[in-house]
Amino acid sequence: SKQDYGRIAAQTAKQVILQKIREAEKETISSEYRSKEGEIISGIVQRIEGHTIFVDIGKTLGILNREEQIMGEFYRPGQRLKFYILKVEDTPKGSVVVLSRAYPKLISKLFELEVPEIAAGTVVIKSIAREPGFRTKMAVASSEEGVDPIGACVGQRGTRIMAVINELGGEKIDVIPFDEKPEKFIANALAPAKIV
């Protein structure tokens, strides 16, 4: 209304409006990242508090807890890395985007980025076992005749797999052929050990 507001009333109105705007912003950010759960995002390490790392992922800060970090990996402010969006948690202070570098699905998502055949569905990742920071074993199969699933993942002279290994700071990745027969699959998974 047109009547003159006193200074205190104007100040109160301003604070209420700002608060509402902040709440609306938080709501849109939380719903946006909720829809991105299970995807990969690129972020920059902003600050480190104890064992928790805060990552700038664009519109908000993501949190990388100790249990989601790769053992032996050192993080420094300004470092750009790829993260897996694990979940969006609601806390009294607002929504928190929980990130991960140790989750096995991070590997499959990184391969999706590097290997067009996986993104297209001609090569399927059947299962992944991971010891973050040490080794990953990934079983792959082809859904089309004539497509070599292991060759597709490794790439010419290992370029595709090296891109993933470098992103993970040198973690070893073994790509093995999936087999419907459990005993054959186990033998493949234990490679390069010789199976008696």
Side-chain angles (χ1 to χ4, degrees), residues 1 18-20 23 42 47 62 64 80 93 105 109-110 121 123 132 141 160 169 172 179 191 193:
S1 59
L18 285 174
Q19 191 183 347
K20 291 281 182 216
E23 279 170 15
S42 189
R47 66 179 196 276
L64 186 68
R80 181 177 276 281
K93 288 184 177 176
K105 275 273 178 71
K109 289 289 177 184
L110 287 172
V123 172
R160 290 173 176 180
K172 292 181 180 72
D179 203 292

Side-chain angles (χ1 to χ4, degrees), residues 13 27 44 54 64 103 114 119 150 156 161 186-187:
E27 194 52 51
I44 297 167
F54 291 88
L64 186 68
Y103 197 62
E114 293 298 330
I150 293 172
Q156 271 186 324
I161 202 165
I186 293 167

Side-chain angles (χ1 to χ4, degrees), residues 122-161:
T122 40
V123 172
V124 182
I125 297 170
K126 289 287 190 177
S127 67
I128 292 176
R130 186 178 183 204
E131 282 181 62
F134 301 104
R135 181 183 292 280
T136 289
K137 294 235 179 196
M138 183 172 85
V140 291
S142 165
S143 60
E144 264 184 38
E145 283 293 314
V147 176
D148 171 19
I150 293 172
C153 293
V154 173
Q156 271 186 324
R157 296 192 187 147
T159 46
R160 290 173 176 180
I161 202 165

